Amino acid sequence: MLQDKDTTGSLSGGWTEPRATAVLVLQDGTVLEGFGVGAEGEATGEVCFNTAMTGYEEILTDPSYAGQIITFTFPHIGNVGTNEEDIESVNAASSSGVRGVVLSASITEPSNWRASRDLDAWLKARGVVGLSGIDTRALTALIRDKGMPNAVIAHNPEGRFDIEALKAKAAALPSMDGLDLVPLVTSAQRFDWDETTWTRGEGYGHREGAPKHHVVAIDYGVKRNILRLLARAGCKVTVVPATASAEDVLALKPDGVFLSNGPGDPAATGEYAVPVIRKVLEEKIPTFGICLGHQMLSLAVGAKTKKMHQGHHGANHPVKDKTTGKVEITSMNHGFAVDPETLPENAMETHVSLFDGSNCGIALTDRPAFSVQYHPEASPGPQDSHYLFDRFVQMMDSKKAGLSR
């Protein structure tokens, strides 16, 4: 601020710059200074950007973001606060998968009737280190040019940082390639799920009382709304850890198997997940995968995955369903993609991104199994992609009627 004049009429001071209380140090040594929000301390991760204008609480509790620092391109994050209903991790009390958050504008007081806590206090409670006050457009442009960098985010209210040590730590961080992050977010034990989707006047309190099918969901980091939509579709859902064996899954006598979303390098998770999925496919059990589950299904039939330059993170991604010709506006969160050139003959490409042509879905021609790269349980369309849950149910109907492949 500008200082007052002293008694002689001269300035007693001048412009004083506010001290930076947080820094983001990239692996190439770039240092971005800002103002700390959320938890104090340091966190490390891969920096990505998300283009969504709404749903920041859902994004910050999505287990698929484990090991990452999210930069929001929309400048005003936090203006509707947080609440207890929009958390996407199954264990609402657990720490977020996301390591840190980078914002443009400062967090304001919330203005929404559903808000129970402001975003800053919520970040503190969940141990998420944050930074505001930087040009997130410039950081996004850097990621688009150079790819998603590793970084250290640090918050110290006194503004004291050992920058050289932070640079060394950022430079030494391992690449996301080869990292299996699913153990950080998967369930520790089996449990049942019967909560359905939100309804006016009831919230999420409704329970599915007369399920038609039994679905076993393999949890690589599953989001709550996926389970809600499966329940709403008339399914009894049993969630099992990512490390469940094929014998564990088959012993539950499922009508269908669901492969969930999750974080990290799919090839690393596939070391133990792929053999299980292959046995499920051998039994010709209807199978549906989302995000990492899509990549797991693809790996199980012999395809390959590859690291993306900047990934897909946002709620405005157009995807074409090649089986119908329709275009869906989808929510995405992935840094790896299935290489369509490696798909075997029995895997038909069903969906494709209209941003970059990357693969967004497959269906097997000799097994009742399909998957998509995006998140149909999210609602940017708002319900463009909910038909996929109906498709899964129809597949189970056909299997029971003896009509499936």
Side-chain angles (χ1 to χ4, degrees):
M1 62 180 178
L2 188 62
Q3 301 297 309
D4 294 333
K5 292 183 179 181
D6 62 21
T7 55
T8 64
S10 63
L11 288 175
S12 60
W15 289 104
T16 58
E17 292 292 332
R19 174 180 290 183
T21 56
V23 293
L24 180 71
V25 181
L26 307 185
Q27 64 187 39
D28 66 357
T30 300
V31 179
L32 303 174
E33 296 183 338
F35 308 104
V37 297
E40 298 175 19
E42 297 178 8
T44 61
E46 180 185 72
V47 184
C48 65
F49 63 85
N50 189 297
T51 57
M53 297 174 66
T54 60
Y56 56 79
E57 184 178 350
E58 291 90 338
I59 292 165
L60 290 169
T61 54
D62 179 353
S64 297
Y65 277 112
Q68 292 186 301
I69 299 168
I70 303 173
T71 301
F72 284 98
T73 61
F74 187 68
H76 303 292
I77 300 297
N79 49 9
V80 295
T82 62
N83 62 75
E84 303 311 309
E85 289 190 327
D86 291 344
I87 291 173
E88 278 292 349
S89 54
V90 171
N91 184 351
S94 68
S95 61
S96 300
V98 63
R99 300 280 178 83
V101 60
V102 178
L103 310 175
S104 174
S106 299
I107 297 173
T108 59
E109 287 295 316
S111 179
N112 187 277
W113 66 274
R114 298 176 69 223
S116 59
R117 186 184 293 186
D118 68 79
L119 179 59
D120 185 52
W122 184 87
L123 291 170
K124 284 184 172 72
R126 299 183 71 84
V128 179
V129 181
L131 172 153
S132 68
I134 73 165
D135 187 346
T136 53
R137 297 169 300 175
L139 180 55
T140 298
L142 183 151
I143 294 170
R144 284 178 172 157
D145 289 343
K146 298 183 178 181
M148 297 177 284
N150 284 329
V152 179
I153 186 169
H155 174 195
N156 182 324
E158 302 301 320
R160 298 191 180 95
F161 304 101
D162 186 339
I163 297 298
E164 294 307 313
L166 293 175
K167 287 182 179 180
K169 181 179 288 188
L173 292 173
S175 168
M176 189 68 77
D177 274 313
L179 290 185
D180 175 24
L181 299 178
V182 168
L184 300 177
V185 294
T186 188
S187 304
Q189 59 189 13
R190 189 177 82 193
F191 64 93
D192 294 328
W193 183 277
D194 62 358
E195 181 183 87
T196 62
T197 52
W198 185 90
T199 56
R200 180 182 290 275
E202 296 184 22
Y204 292 114
H206 178 68
R207 302 289 170 174
E208 176 55 53
K212 184 179 180 182
H213 299 293
H214 179 205
V215 171
V216 171
I218 302 179
D219 178 16
Y220 305 121
V222 69
K223 293 173 67 178
R224 295 173 72 90
N225 214 45
I226 291 176
L227 300 178
R228 290 177 181 133
L229 282 167
L230 287 171
R232 190 186 75 169
C235 300
K236 171 189 174 183
V237 183
T238 301
V239 182
V240 299
T243 53
S245 67
E247 291 72 24
D248 293 336
V249 173
L250 297 176
L252 294 169
K253 301 186 183 304
D255 299 313
V257 171
F258 174 74
L259 312 174
S260 87
N261 59 291
D265 184 343
T269 305
E271 291 293 326
Y272 54 87
V274 162
V276 175
I277 298 169
R278 284 177 175 163
K279 289 187 179 181
V280 170
L281 295 176
E282 288 173 5
E283 296 295 323
K284 297 189 176 181
I285 298 172
T287 303
F288 174 29
I290 287 176
C291 198
L292 183 64
H294 162 65
Q295 296 161 357
M296 291 296 101
L297 179 63
S298 300
L299 290 171
V301 297
K304 304 293 183 183
T305 55
K306 56 185 178 181
K307 186 80 164 62
M308 303 178 77
H309 178 68
Q310 66 189 41
H312 287 167
H313 309 279
N316 58 348
H317 288 252
V319 169
K320 183 176 182 178
D321 183 342
K322 296 170 71 173
T323 66
T324 64
K326 293 182 178 180
V327 175
E328 306 161 37
I329 301 302
T330 72
S331 176
M332 287 196 180
N333 171 23
H334 61 106
F336 291 80
V338 173
D339 183 354
E341 299 299 321
T342 66
L343 289 171
E345 290 185 1
N346 67 327
M348 173 180 66
E349 183 176 65
T350 57
H351 295 76
V352 62
S353 167
L354 295 185
F355 274 163
D356 58 13
S358 60
N359 173 264
C360 287
I362 66 167
L364 303 189
T365 59
D366 59 348
R367 295 288 189 277
F370 70 103
S371 58
V372 292
Q373 181 63 76
Y374 54 95
H375 283 270
E377 83 288 348
S379 302
Q383 297 183 4
D384 290 10
S385 308
H386 284 190
Y387 71 92
L388 292 165
F389 293 90
D390 297 329
R391 184 177 291 180
F392 185 37
V393 169
Q394 291 165 5
M395 191 174 281
M396 290 185 284
D397 287 339
S398 296
K399 176 69 175 180
K400 283 186 175 180
L403 302 176
S404 65
R405 292 181 286 270

